[in-house]
Amino acid sequence: MSSELQPEGGWILAAEPRLRPPPPSERGLFFRSVTKASRLLGRKELPHLFPMFHINRRLFWPWLIFASRLFPGGRLKARDREKIILRTGWNCRSRYEWGQHLEIGLGVGLTDEDILRVARGPAQAQDERERALLQACDDMVCDQVISAATWTALAAHFKEPLLIEITILIGHYQMIAGLLNSSGIALEPPIEQVLQDFHRRISSR
């Protein structure tokens, strides 16, 4: 596999899962209704993240409401949102986050070339706008702050409410990547297939 298909240091992969998604029979009636609703959004299977997080129900439901204001209810364009999440997942070495949002990104119109640019980083960005978004991800994950230069570059393309949303989006998916990496949950087979298909397309070039 080409080295550019995984971040420096490789993906963080647990030797075995530390937390396992409970089976459907143990998820509660209301949560099972959310599972059924996911099929209306084109997902045959609810991502493992949700039932795993639902182990702590007190945190899960407030988080779900908050997270829904970023995705799918955010104000950023879907392609920008997915580039940000993909770059954050890449920087956090979260294979689960990368795989899930590779599939979502392709669904909102990202091409293989777009995704490769995200993996390669700001230096390979298509334009100044994309470069600023990717650099903001790198700044936040590496230094916990968006640098003055990057903020100025972002402000040339986004108004203040979206600057806040970009910052929160990066921080949120950095948090989720930490949970995913620590829990050790694996990608669902259909998403794993999408990821492997992407790898094959890139490797065959």
Side-chain angles (χ1 to χ4, degrees), residues 62-164:
W63 165 77
L64 188 64
I65 293 168
F66 168 76
S68 70
R69 303 300 291 176
L70 296 172
F71 170 54
R75 295 294 180 263
L76 286 167
K77 293 180 179 179
R79 286 167 54 88
D80 289 339
R81 180 196 70 222
E82 292 309 314
K83 288 177 184 178
I84 289 170
I85 299 172
L86 281 166
R87 185 63 185 173
T88 302
W90 182 270
N91 285 335
C92 293
R93 299 165 58 201
S94 174
R95 191 175 186 273
Y96 186 97
E97 191 163 274
W98 173 263
Q100 283 285 344
H101 286 274
L102 186 146
E103 192 260 354
I104 295 170
L106 291 171
V108 301
L110 293 184
T111 65
D112 289 350
E113 289 71 23
D114 292 328
I115 293 167
L116 274 177
R117 286 199 310 274
V118 169
R120 290 167 177 162
Q124 299 296 317
Q126 188 175 34
D127 51 38
E128 290 301 321
R129 187 172 181 277
E130 183 177 80
R131 183 174 294 109
L133 287 173
L134 299 182
Q135 189 62 56
C137 298
D138 289 10
D139 290 356
M140 282 282 287
V141 172
C142 294
D143 300 320
Q144 304 305 308
V145 62
I146 296 176
S147 72
T150 305
W151 189 269
T152 299
L154 282 172
H157 302 282
F158 301 95
K159 294 183 179 180
E160 287 184 344
L162 285 182
L163 292 175
I164 294 173

Side-chain angles (χ1 to χ4, degrees), residues 9-58:
W11 303 110
I12 296 174
L13 300 173
E16 60 182 31
R18 296 171 174 174
L19 294 171
R20 298 179 185 275
S25 61
E26 297 178 12
R27 296 179 187 181
L29 180 62
F30 189 59
F31 187 83
R32 290 201 297 273
S33 71
V34 173
T35 302
K36 292 178 181 177
S38 71
R39 298 189 183 114
L40 300 177
L41 300 175
R43 285 292 182 94
K44 295 181 179 179
E45 182 180 0
L46 190 70
H48 289 165
L49 165 64
F50 291 90
M52 182 271 289
F53 201 152
H54 189 248
I55 292 170
N56 187 324
R57 300 181 185 189
R58 188 180 67 85

